[in-house]
Amino acid sequence: GNPTMIRGEPGATRLALSDDGSVLYAALPDQDAIAAISTEKLTESARYGTGAGTRPDSLAVAGGTLWFGYGTAGGGGIGSVEGTGTVTLRQDSGSWAAAPMLATTPTPSGVLAAAVQTGDTSAVVTYRVESGVLTRQAAKALPVPDLNDLAVTADGTHLAVPSDQGAIANRY
């Protein structure tokens, strides 16, 4: 089909699809919000305010919950939006140097990964998601000084982290 312009979503940065494919979520950092867009009608069906100054950026759906990385340089966190629309910040007890980038498996799962660049390395944490609760599985600093993306393999057991810095092993 032809592409459709969805109005009223200025500055959308990242997208995530609901487990059943009926909702496309769009991060709106300049509006401190996340838009829910019906994939059937291609119109906004809900908007979730994340709080003043949160600047949500990265989105992932894991364990049936929408997760978002938020914050700015100097501090960030992981928040969630439950099916009822309840927004909760500070879902991870750790601290982040900026808004963490999130990733999950390409099929519905309970695996969530988060990462943020911290100088010459990148801090990466993996979680298990169950009933809307994050449980840390592993945390590690990786030799990736140019973090711009990460992906979780379909089976949820490895991370792929691209780097332009020579022949660095990029699967963890």
Side-chain angles (χ1 to χ4, degrees):
N2 294 325
T4 299
M5 174 70 75
I6 301 172
R7 306 217 182 273
E9 313 300 341
T13 56
R14 304 279 174 116
L15 304 172
L17 192 61
S18 64
D19 285 343
D20 65 4
S22 66
V23 179
L24 179 67
Y25 299 102
L28 304 171
D30 293 340
Q31 297 179 35
D32 294 321
I34 298 168
I37 299 164
S38 163
T39 58
E40 183 179 325
K41 298 178 182 179
L42 294 179
T43 57
E44 185 176 298
S45 55
R47 184 169 291 207
Y48 308 109
T50 56
T54 53
R55 301 190 52 78
D57 183 44
S58 184
L59 304 174
V61 176
T65 299
L66 173 63
W67 301 94
F68 61 95
Y70 67 90
T72 58
I78 298 173
S80 66
V81 180
E82 294 298 324
T84 60
T86 301
V87 174
T88 305
L89 301 177
R90 308 268 338 133
Q91 288 285 39
D92 176 30
S93 59
S95 61
W96 293 93
M101 183 182 308
L102 304 181
T104 189
T105 58
T107 57
S109 76
V111 176
L112 183 71
V116 68
Q117 187 173 331
T118 54
D120 290 338
T121 62
S122 293
V124 179
V125 178
T126 57
Y127 303 91
R128 189 88 187 117
V129 179
E130 224 173 281
S131 302
V133 176
L134 288 179
T135 302
R136 276 184 179 229
Q137 298 295 296
K140 186 173 186 175
L142 300 179
V144 180
D146 58 342
L147 180 71
N148 59 31
D149 199 7
L150 80 151
V152 180
T153 58
D155 64 3
T157 61
H158 291 92
L159 295 177
V161 184
S163 176
D164 293 329
Q165 300 297 312
I168 296 173
N170 63 2
R171 184 173 171 195
Y172 304 94

